[in-house]
Structure formats: structure tokens, C-alpha cells
Amino acid sequence: MTQLIAALDVGTSKVVALMAELDHQGPPRVIGFAEQAASGMRKGMVVDIDATTASIAAAVKNAAAMANCKLTEVFVSIGGAHLRSQNSAGMVAMKEHEVTAQDIERVIETARTVAIPNDQCLLHTLPQEFIIDGQEGVLKPLGMSGRRLEVKAHLITGAQSSIDNIEKCLRRVGLNVLEMVVHPLASATACLTQEEIDIGVCLLDIGAGTTDFALYSGGAIRHTGVLPVAGDQITNDIAMALRTSSREAAEIKHVHGCALTKLVPGDELIEVVGVGDRPPKSLARHMLAEVIEPRVEELFQLVHAQISGSGLEPFLRSGYVITGGSAHLPGIAELAEEVFHAPVRIGRPSYAGPLHDVLRAPQYAAAIGLLLHAQEFYGRRSALARRESTGLGLVAKLRDMFGV
């Protein structure tokens, strides 16, 4: 049976809509794709509901037209500096001497019972490891023997107002949100390998308004964060230095930009469009790189300070993976290696289906990651339905109810 799934990546500079088919035997196959310039968003958050709604509506309409079907339910990304994270722990006594699915659900629920500010809403509870009778480092506890089950988990929350604003925009275009996924998790799902997650890696998603990062080691997520500095700051610096419009500066950055000055030939020239009726002028490309490099270096230094403060830097043995729209800048990986003193690669989503030649680009990492989250979501739903149909779900509920 084929399941239709949809993903909506709502960012500061663009809205990406994907529609895909899922047959539960392989990865999602994209049948509808649209990209729309975003309006009404600033640093990952809605600042104009009408403009944001219009951008979402245009992307959804075009993706649905390409797929020749109607989009009603969606998995959506959420970002912004309002996101917060913390690590938590929980513990339960097992009712049987063998870990059941219900035990796992109960212990994860206890990890959620931490003080969260009234203006924040819990988005994700991500298990890091389980502990059975003092035995640490258990990743899959189901079926193991013991009497006490503990869990260490990573919690991610977001401002309730920001979540409400995104949902309001989606309701206006007739969309129901099945799940919200924070931006770095979606991008990490699409770009990281299991080996990197096991031995330690930092995922950096550099968008237009924010830079999101997620740290993994030992097969689990350990830390997440958001910095309100990203590609727009680079564009603004170019616009000021070259005395041109933001739109022209963004185009110059995309076509001629380089994050490392020493990689640019000294005699290469570019043309800068004048503002108003002023004539265009020629400029040495290495001078453009001299504007870009300090801003990108500053961004990496801010990230490095956050990671050093987390105490997790020694565990990032496989280095860093950079994705997002700004990952296209030539020289950005080389500059990152100079700042982090670690290996760096550009992250491209691991997608091989229809439109792979377009979608295997860093700026679509979060959108592809949302489809993979949707696949996991429907997999869990199918497994639950199978348990219910065989009566296992009813037995578990009766056990919980009567303590037997």
C-alpha cells in the first residue's frame, strides 16, 4: 500500500514543499517539489503572518500541482533562536523482569517531567542511552532482563508563540501539522552517516537567518543549539562594502563569493551593478572574499565557543558536516578546518529517487530529512496498529490499568 507524505521546510529565505510516495519497502520517492522565496520570516520566526501564509500557499500549490494530488497533512520544520535544549533523566521499576515497550514509554515519560518555562513547549524527547540495573550504554533495551530501567534523554523546546504562529499560517492554507521537527534534526537525518553518529560529529546547518548545530556521539544526540548569525549577515556586509542592494549582494555572493581569500586568483574581476542610475563597476574578486571571510570566520568562532562550552568537543572524532544554503560558498569547508582544527565536509542529503539531481543539494537537507522523519512516523504507526490488531495493545493497557 502506497502512503502519500508531505514535507514543508519553512525558512528565513525560502519555503520548500515536497510530496512523496512511501511504500514501506524503500525510501520516499518525491513526486512533487516546489521552492518559493519566503516573505514574513526573520531569523527562522514569523514576523508577518499574511506574508508567510502567502509564501507557504504558493509553495504548496506548485508542489501539489506537480504531484497531481491535494496536500492536507504535512511534516514541518521549525527553527529560530527561541529553541532551547537540555539533558534529562528518568527511572522506573519494571513490572516484569523483562523490558517491554510499555516500560520504555513510561521511562521516557518520566524524563519529560522537568520544569519547562510556561512560554515554552516540548518538541522532542530524544533518548541518548538506557541503563538497566546499573548497566550503562544500552541503546535497545527491549527484551533485556532487569528490575530497574533508567534513561538519559535530550529535550528540545520551542516558544509556544512561535509554534502557534507557524501552525496558524498552515491552517490558513488548509494544512494539518502531523509533526514539527527542529531544523538541525531534520538536516542531520538527511546528511549524517551512522558511522559519524557513532564516533562523534557536529552537524552545522547554515541558513539565511540562523545557524543550527547538533552534536552526536556514541550513537545518540548530545547537544543542540541555534545562533542568530548566518548567511544574511554575510549578504549585508557585501551590500555595505560594495554599496549595492541586498538583492544584488545576494546574487554576487551566490555567483562569485568565496569564504577563503587565498583561494581566489588576484587578477580575477567581477562586475557590480550600480544602485539607481549609477553605472556598473568592476571589482577584484579577492576583495569580495576579503569581505566574506571575516564574517564566516566569526560565525565559526561563535560555534566553536558554544561547542567548547558544552564539553563535547573531544568526542567529535569524525569532525564537522556543513549543510544549508551557505554551504555552497567555495572555501567554506577549508576555512572551517582552520578554525575547528578538525575534518570538515559538505553535507548533501542522501536521496537517490526522482529529482535527485536537484534535491541532493545542501539547501534541501532539512526538507529531505522531514520526509525521512515521516517514513519513521508511519512505520511506528503501522507497528502500533499491528500490536492493536493482535490484541497485544489491549493486554498492555489492561496490565497498566490493573498493575498485573
Side-chain angles (χ1 to χ4, degrees), residues 127-150:
Q128 297 171 320
E129 67 171 318
F130 294 89
I131 303 169
I132 301 176
D133 292 349
Q135 178 187 342
E136 299 183 347
V138 178
L139 298 180
K140 296 181 179 180
L142 187 64
M144 294 185 67
S145 298
R147 295 178 179 274
R148 187 183 66 191
L149 179 65
E150 299 174 68

mmCIF file of all heavy atoms in Angstrom, residues 127-150:
data_model
loop_
_atom_site.group_PDB
_atom_site.id
_atom_site.type_symbol
_atom_site.label_atom_id
_atom_site.label_comp_id
_atom_site.label_asym_id
_atom_site.label_seq_id
_atom_site.Cartn_x
_atom_site.Cartn_y
_atom_site.Cartn_z
ATOM 1 N N PRO A 127 15.939 9.897 23.359
ATOM 2 C CA PRO A 127 16.753 9.044 24.226
ATOM 3 C C PRO A 127 18.209 9.008 23.766
ATOM 4 O O PRO A 127 18.505 8.894 22.580
ATOM 5 C CB PRO A 127 16.097 7.668 24.082
ATOM 6 C CG PRO A 127 14.703 7.947 23.625
ATOM 7 C CD PRO A 127 14.813 9.161 22.753
ATOM 8 N N GLN A 128 19.114 9.120 24.744
ATOM 9 C CA GLN A 128 20.542 9.027 24.470
ATOM 10 C C GLN A 128 21.083 7.639 24.809
ATOM 11 O O GLN A 128 21.857 7.071 24.052
ATOM 12 C CB GLN A 128 21.287 10.096 25.275
ATOM 13 C CG GLN A 128 20.892 11.520 24.895
ATOM 14 C CD GLN A 128 21.478 12.534 25.853
ATOM 15 O OE1 GLN A 128 21.521 12.316 27.069
ATOM 16 N NE2 GLN A 128 21.923 13.655 25.328
ATOM 17 N N GLU A 129 20.668 7.136 25.953
ATOM 18 C CA GLU A 129 21.038 5.777 26.345
ATOM 19 C C GLU A 129 20.116 5.309 27.456
ATOM 20 O O GLU A 129 19.514 6.116 28.168
ATOM 21 C CB GLU A 129 22.489 5.705 26.804
ATOM 22 C CG GLU A 129 22.772 6.443 28.099
ATOM 23 C CD GLU A 129 24.171 6.156 28.630
ATOM 24 O OE1 GLU A 129 24.582 4.987 28.578
ATOM 25 O OE2 GLU A 129 24.830 7.108 29.094
ATOM 26 N N PHE A 130 20.009 3.991 27.593
ATOM 27 C CA PHE A 130 19.234 3.385 28.676
ATOM 28 C C PHE A 130 20.189 2.698 29.643
ATOM 29 O O PHE A 130 21.299 2.294 29.269
ATOM 30 C CB PHE A 130 18.228 2.377 28.114
ATOM 31 C CG PHE A 130 17.144 3.001 27.268
ATOM 32 C CD1 PHE A 130 17.325 3.178 25.905
ATOM 33 C CD2 PHE A 130 15.957 3.416 27.850
ATOM 34 C CE1 PHE A 130 16.335 3.751 25.122
ATOM 35 C CE2 PHE A 130 14.964 3.992 27.080
ATOM 36 C CZ PHE A 130 15.146 4.162 25.712
ATOM 37 N N ILE A 131 19.753 2.575 30.893
ATOM 38 C CA ILE A 131 20.541 1.919 31.927
ATOM 39 C C ILE A 131 19.652 0.880 32.597
ATOM 40 O O ILE A 131 18.547 1.208 33.063
ATOM 41 C CB ILE A 131 21.038 2.934 32.969
ATOM 42 C CG1 ILE A 131 21.847 4.050 32.281
ATOM 43 C CG2 ILE A 131 21.871 2.243 34.046
ATOM 44 C CD1 ILE A 131 22.148 5.237 33.172
ATOM 45 N N ILE A 132 20.089 -0.370 32.612
ATOM 46 C CA ILE A 132 19.315 -1.461 33.216
ATOM 47 C C ILE A 132 20.087 -2.017 34.402
ATOM 48 O O ILE A 132 21.190 -2.562 34.247
ATOM 49 C CB ILE A 132 19.038 -2.583 32.194
ATOM 50 C CG1 ILE A 132 18.267 -2.028 30.985
ATOM 51 C CG2 ILE A 132 18.253 -3.715 32.847
ATOM 52 C CD1 ILE A 132 18.036 -3.035 29.886
ATOM 53 N N ASP A 133 19.512 -1.798 35.583
ATOM 54 C CA ASP A 133 20.149 -2.268 36.830
ATOM 55 C C ASP A 133 21.609 -1.833 36.914
ATOM 56 O O ASP A 133 22.494 -2.610 37.283
ATOM 57 C CB ASP A 133 20.053 -3.802 36.945
ATOM 58 C CG ASP A 133 18.629 -4.283 37.161
ATOM 59 O OD1 ASP A 133 17.752 -3.441 37.424
ATOM 60 O OD2 ASP A 133 18.387 -5.494 37.045
ATOM 61 N N GLY A 134 21.853 -0.578 36.527
ATOM 62 C CA GLY A 134 23.203 -0.026 36.606
ATOM 63 C C GLY A 134 24.066 -0.252 35.390
ATOM 64 O O GLY A 134 25.156 0.318 35.286
ATOM 65 N N GLN A 135 23.632 -1.081 34.458
ATOM 66 C CA GLN A 135 24.405 -1.331 33.239
ATOM 67 C C GLN A 135 24.150 -0.201 32.251
ATOM 68 O O GLN A 135 23.055 -0.049 31.732
ATOM 69 C CB GLN A 135 24.013 -2.667 32.611
ATOM 70 C CG GLN A 135 24.766 -2.961 31.305
ATOM 71 C CD GLN A 135 24.261 -4.205 30.607
ATOM 72 O OE1 GLN A 135 23.597 -5.038 31.214
ATOM 73 N NE2 GLN A 135 24.577 -4.332 29.324
ATOM 74 N N GLU A 136 25.174 0.603 31.992
ATOM 75 C CA GLU A 136 25.033 1.785 31.139
ATOM 76 C C GLU A 136 25.268 1.444 29.669
ATOM 77 O O GLU A 136 25.733 0.365 29.320
ATOM 78 C CB GLU A 136 26.006 2.866 31.590
ATOM 79 C CG GLU A 136 25.780 3.353 33.014
ATOM 80 C CD GLU A 136 26.717 4.480 33.388
ATOM 81 O OE1 GLU A 136 27.692 4.716 32.635
ATOM 82 O OE2 GLU A 136 26.472 5.124 34.422
ATOM 83 N N GLY A 137 24.943 2.413 28.819
ATOM 84 C CA GLY A 137 25.249 2.310 27.396
ATOM 85 C C GLY A 137 24.329 1.425 26.590
ATOM 86 O O GLY A 137 24.656 1.046 25.465
ATOM 87 N N VAL A 138 23.144 1.095 27.134
ATOM 88 C CA VAL A 138 22.189 0.260 26.390
ATOM 89 C C VAL A 138 21.410 1.140 25.417
ATOM 90 O O VAL A 138 20.803 2.128 25.814
ATOM 91 C CB VAL A 138 21.211 -0.446 27.355
ATOM 92 C CG1 VAL A 138 20.197 -1.277 26.562
ATOM 93 C CG2 VAL A 138 21.982 -1.313 28.331
ATOM 94 N N LEU A 139 21.430 0.791 24.141
ATOM 95 C CA LEU A 139 20.719 1.573 23.126
ATOM 96 C C LEU A 139 19.363 0.970 22.784
ATOM 97 O O LEU A 139 18.419 1.695 22.454
ATOM 98 C CB LEU A 139 21.580 1.696 21.862
ATOM 99 C CG LEU A 139 22.923 2.415 22.032
ATOM 100 C CD1 LEU A 139 23.667 2.475 20.704
ATOM 101 C CD2 LEU A 139 22.730 3.828 22.585
ATOM 102 N N LYS A 140 19.253 -0.362 22.850
ATOM 103 C CA LYS A 140 17.996 -1.043 22.532
ATOM 104 C C LYS A 140 17.637 -1.974 23.687
ATOM 105 O O LYS A 140 18.016 -3.155 23.697
ATOM 106 C CB LYS A 140 18.126 -1.817 21.217
ATOM 107 C CG LYS A 140 18.373 -0.911 20.010
ATOM 108 C CD LYS A 140 18.469 -1.712 18.712
ATOM 109 C CE LYS A 140 18.699 -0.800 17.507
ATOM 110 N NZ LYS A 140 18.796 -1.577 16.242
ATOM 111 N N PRO A 141 16.891 -1.461 24.664
ATOM 112 C CA PRO A 141 16.641 -2.249 25.876
ATOM 113 C C PRO A 141 15.516 -3.272 25.747
ATOM 114 O O PRO A 141 15.385 -4.141 26.605
ATOM 115 C CB PRO A 141 16.251 -1.180 26.895
ATOM 116 C CG PRO A 141 15.605 -0.113 26.063
ATOM 117 C CD PRO A 141 16.364 -0.103 24.762
ATOM 118 N N LEU A 142 14.706 -3.193 24.694
ATOM 119 C CA LEU A 142 13.546 -4.063 24.581
ATOM 120 C C LEU A 142 13.937 -5.535 24.687
ATOM 121 O O LEU A 142 14.803 -6.019 23.970
ATOM 122 C CB LEU A 142 12.832 -3.815 23.247
ATOM 123 C CG LEU A 142 11.491 -4.542 23.042
ATOM 124 C CD1 LEU A 142 10.466 -4.056 24.049
ATOM 125 C CD2 LEU A 142 10.987 -4.327 21.618
ATOM 126 N N GLY A 143 13.285 -6.261 25.640
ATOM 127 C CA GLY A 143 13.537 -7.683 25.798
ATOM 128 C C GLY A 143 14.655 -8.032 26.753
ATOM 129 O O GLY A 143 14.842 -9.218 27.084
ATOM 130 N N MET A 144 15.415 -7.034 27.220
ATOM 131 C CA MET A 144 16.516 -7.322 28.133
ATOM 132 C C MET A 144 15.976 -7.546 29.549
ATOM 133 O O MET A 144 14.933 -7.025 29.927
ATOM 134 C CB MET A 144 17.537 -6.178 28.117
ATOM 135 C CG MET A 144 18.261 -6.037 26.788
ATOM 136 S SD MET A 144 19.562 -4.770 26.811
ATOM 137 C CE MET A 144 20.734 -5.516 27.950
ATOM 138 N N SER A 145 16.686 -8.304 30.338
ATOM 139 C CA SER A 145 16.259 -8.646 31.699
ATOM 140 C C SER A 145 16.725 -7.589 32.687
ATOM 141 O O SER A 145 17.810 -7.005 32.540
ATOM 142 C CB SER A 145 16.810 -10.010 32.105
ATOM 143 O OG SER A 145 16.302 -11.021 31.258
ATOM 144 N N GLY A 146 15.911 -7.376 33.725
ATOM 145 C CA GLY A 146 16.274 -6.427 34.761
ATOM 146 C C GLY A 146 15.081 -6.042 35.605
ATOM 147 O O GLY A 146 13.951 -6.485 35.358
ATOM 148 N N ARG A 147 15.358 -5.217 36.620
ATOM 149 C CA ARG A 147 14.293 -4.762 37.518
ATOM 150 C C ARG A 147 14.115 -3.249 37.497
ATOM 151 O O ARG A 147 13.034 -2.749 37.819
ATOM 152 C CB ARG A 147 14.607 -5.210 38.962
ATOM 153 C CG ARG A 147 14.602 -6.719 39.158
ATOM 154 C CD ARG A 147 14.973 -7.080 40.581
ATOM 155 N NE ARG A 147 14.943 -8.533 40.778
ATOM 156 C CZ ARG A 147 13.850 -9.224 41.095
ATOM 157 N NH1 ARG A 147 12.693 -8.591 41.242
ATOM 158 N NH2 ARG A 147 13.913 -10.526 41.251
ATOM 159 N N ARG A 148 15.159 -2.510 37.129
ATOM 160 C CA ARG A 148 15.081 -1.050 37.119
ATOM 161 C C ARG A 148 15.585 -0.531 35.777
ATOM 162 O O ARG A 148 16.661 -0.911 35.313
ATOM 163 C CB ARG A 148 15.926 -0.458 38.249
ATOM 164 C CG ARG A 148 15.759 1.055 38.408
ATOM 165 C CD ARG A 148 16.682 1.576 39.497
ATOM 166 N NE ARG A 148 18.091 1.426 39.119
ATOM 167 C CZ ARG A 148 19.097 1.605 39.966
ATOM 168 N NH1 ARG A 148 18.860 1.881 41.232
ATOM 169 N NH2 ARG A 148 20.345 1.473 39.545
ATOM 170 N N LEU A 149 14.797 0.334 35.173
ATOM 171 C CA LEU A 149 15.127 0.905 33.856
ATOM 172 C C LEU A 149 15.290 2.404 33.991
ATOM 173 O O LEU A 149 14.404 3.088 34.512
ATOM 174 C CB LEU A 149 14.036 0.573 32.841
ATOM 175 C CG LEU A 149 14.232 1.121 31.419
ATOM 176 C CD1 LEU A 149 15.458 0.501 30.753
ATOM 177 C CD2 LEU A 149 12.984 0.862 30.571
ATOM 178 N N GLU A 150 16.424 2.909 33.518
ATOM 179 C CA GLU A 150 16.691 4.350 33.516
ATOM 180 C C GLU A 150 16.957 4.806 32.080
ATOM 181 O O GLU A 150 17.325 4.012 31.220
ATOM 182 C CB GLU A 150 17.900 4.672 34.390
ATOM 183 C CG GLU A 150 17.757 4.291 35.846
ATOM 184 C CD GLU A 150 19.043 4.510 36.611
ATOM 185 O OE1 GLU A 150 19.435 5.675 36.791
ATOM 186 O OE2 GLU A 150 19.665 3.497 37.001
#
